[in-house]
Amino acid sequence: MKKSFTFLTAFAFVSLASAQLTLTSSNTPHNSTYEAEINIISNAFVPQHGNNLTYDYSNVTVSGSNVIEFMPAVRAGFESSTRFFYGSAFLGGIPLLSEYYTHKDETGMYRTGSYKTPQAVGLGALSGNNNDTVHFPGNNSVFDEPGYEIKFPASYGSNWVSNYLFDVHFNLTLTDFGLNATPGYRHQYCVHADTVVGSGTLKLPGGSMGSFEYPVIVVKSTISYIDSTFLGGAPAPDALLSALGLTQGFQSSINNYYFYAADFEHPLLYLGMSSNWQNIVYAYYSTKGIEFLSNNSLQAADSKIYPNPIVSGDVLHVSINSVQEPSKIQILGLNGSLILTEDIQAVQGNSFTLQLPNNVAGGIYICQVLDANGAIILNNKISISE
């Protein structure tokens, strides 16, 4: 039998019971162009804190789907950023189309700043004068220090805090206040505090293929904001702020749980939490790993892969019932990354074995068998322990 083991990536899934997941720069990808495909869910639950836990969200109800697009960073002022995505910020009740910039290096994944795109909003509904407007000329807000989402290495018990400032510039016309394109700006001081409060196994729904399991860490994240608004170089008066739905020194926060797994661009599960952390406001999960499995799902009748679970270094036995002769067997991660491949020769019909290397990390994998034309004739989950 001709063997051609090829390790294309250092797969970072760890033993589900005996080892903790640690996220580092080497096992956390962050490409310039990326699509996060998500399913919006209901009936999720607030996760427990602790080590080596099982987070079983396999029975959640999907109520919708969406795609979050990340694009290469090309805007002047963000040359050191890897990519950005669109979102909406607010000045009082006024939505602001914004670009949010991110980057990854050896220290972690972090936000580098934002750009508020040029736009104008009529204020007639608030002031009664249709000539009143607020104009946003477009401005960069580059952070003085990184706003870390993950600081490497990140494992159970890790924590980090980032401080940064968002600036929004505007020109305000309000006839009753004697303002005509008067320049102003809002400072939004942010404290981003994160703690890895959980680790273990995350279970997500997989449709006809049942549930899928991923070794994860659970990050409890709070971003606290304090707003200060200035007009004409001085703090804006309370009467004016009230007219715009603003409050000087207003404090707010955003609370989230993020479930991170190795080799994935995006957290696998998001839980947006209430201010007291007791209720889930919104929830969604990434479909990347699940879509890879579902799109390649194929289990020939009477085919067998055993033992399953299997210990790293042991011999995997495969018996496949197919008219196509098996030509190659390969092991892949749940995100589609190729771990190893071996050319095979059928023994006693279409039965053969695969000697697993000793250094395959514990976790859930996909075992695929291909024919001579590269078509998948068997696709099945296997569990490998160290």
Side-chain angles (χ1 to χ4, degrees):
M1 181 183 297
K2 179 183 178 182
K3 296 184 177 181
S4 58
F5 286 110
T6 305
F7 288 86
L8 300 184
T9 183
F11 196 70
F13 278 1
V14 295
S15 172
L16 298 182
S18 60
Q20 293 185 24
L21 171 65
T22 299
L23 292 183
T24 65
S25 178
S26 62
N27 67 16
T28 306
H30 194 73
N31 296 316
S32 60
T33 302
Y34 178 71
E35 286 189 351
E37 302 164 5
I38 61 173
N39 278 340
I40 303 166
I41 58 176
S42 57
N43 67 296
F45 58 87
V46 179
Q48 289 184 314
H49 296 187
N51 195 18
N52 291 327
L53 300 179
T54 297
Y55 301 97
D56 189 353
Y57 291 85
S58 58
N59 293 318
V60 295
T61 301
V62 176
S63 58
S65 61
N66 201 356
V67 175
I68 303 172
E69 294 186 1
F70 295 83
M71 290 153 282
V74 295
R75 189 175 296 280
F78 292 101
E79 291 84 355
S80 61
S81 297
T82 306
R83 67 188 185 194
F84 79 97
F85 65 97
Y86 283 113
S88 290
F90 284 87
L91 182 68
I94 302 171
L96 307 174
L97 183 60
S98 305
E99 300 170 0
Y100 295 93
Y101 287 81
T102 61
H103 189 57
K104 188 201 83 170
D105 57 23
E106 293 299 318
T107 67
M109 292 194 303
Y110 51 87
R111 304 181 183 193
T112 58
S114 70
Y115 175 77
K116 301 298 184 288
T117 61
Q119 54 203 291
V121 178
L123 300 177
L126 293 174
S127 67
N129 188 329
N130 290 332
N131 293 321
D132 291 344
T133 61
V134 57
H135 175 251
F136 302 95
N139 71 278
N140 284 350
S141 184
V142 181
F143 298 161
D144 290 335
E145 62 176 273
Y148 282 103
E149 296 175 316
I150 290 287
K151 194 167 186 179
F152 302 139
S155 60
Y156 178 65
S158 299
N159 61 85
W160 54 91
V161 177
S162 307
N163 300 277
Y164 47 90
L165 187 70
F166 277 115
D167 281 335
V168 179
H169 293 269
F170 57 86
N171 298 307
L172 184 62
T173 296
L174 278 175
T175 304
D176 288 348
F177 287 87
L179 303 176
N180 184 17
T182 303
Y185 60 93
R186 184 199 57 186
H187 280 321
Q188 193 170 56
Y189 178 71
C190 307
V191 179
H192 193 160
D194 298 85
T195 302
V196 183
V197 297
S199 72
T201 304
L202 171 65
K203 293 184 178 181
L204 291 175
S208 61
M209 295 190 70
S211 63
F212 298 124
E213 301 178 5
Y214 305 82
V216 294
I217 58 173
V218 184
V219 176
K220 183 180 182 182
S221 175
T222 296
I223 306 179
S224 301
Y225 302 93
I226 301 177
D227 294 351
S228 300
T229 306
F230 298 82
L231 190 66
D238 289 342
L240 175 60
L241 292 173
S242 178
L244 295 175
L246 300 172
T247 302
Q248 203 73 272
F250 180 73
Q251 298 185 32
S252 60
S253 64
I254 296 176
N255 300 323
N256 291 285
Y257 283 111
Y258 300 114
F259 292 69
Y260 286 94
D263 287 336
F264 283 88
E265 291 269 3
H266 215 50
L268 292 183
L269 178 66
Y270 287 77
L271 300 176
M273 304 300 298
S274 61
S275 59
N276 62 4
W277 292 93
Q278 299 299 307
N279 301 301
I280 297 175
V281 180
Y282 61 87
Y284 55 91
Y285 67 85
S286 172
T287 65
K288 280 290 186 180
I290 295 169
E291 285 188 351
F292 166 74
L293 294 175
S294 300
N295 291 340
N296 293 283
S297 177
L298 180 61
Q299 175 67 63
D302 300 325
S303 296
K304 297 178 181 179
I305 297 178
Y306 61 94
N308 189 9
I310 186 172
V311 176
S312 181
D314 284 357
V315 176
L316 184 69
H317 295 260
V318 181
S319 177
I320 180 170
N321 180 15
S322 173
V323 295
Q324 292 86 13
E325 182 177 343
S327 176
K328 180 177 293 186
I329 183 171
Q330 57 190 26
I331 305 296
L332 303 97
L334 291 180
N335 65 345
S337 56
L338 183 61
I339 308 307
L340 65 88
T341 180
E342 181 182 353
D343 295 329
I344 59 177
Q345 295 177 352
V347 179
Q348 296 181 353
N350 284 349
S351 297
F352 51 90
T353 61
L354 171 66
Q355 175 75 52
L356 292 180
N358 292 320
N359 57 352
V360 177
I364 306 300
Y365 294 85
I366 299 302
C367 178
Q368 290 185 340
V369 178
L370 287 70
D371 66 14
N373 296 319
I376 300 173
I377 57 178
L378 179 65
N379 188 88
N380 200 58
K381 289 190 298 182
I382 62 170
S383 175
I384 300 177
S385 60
E386 295 176 296

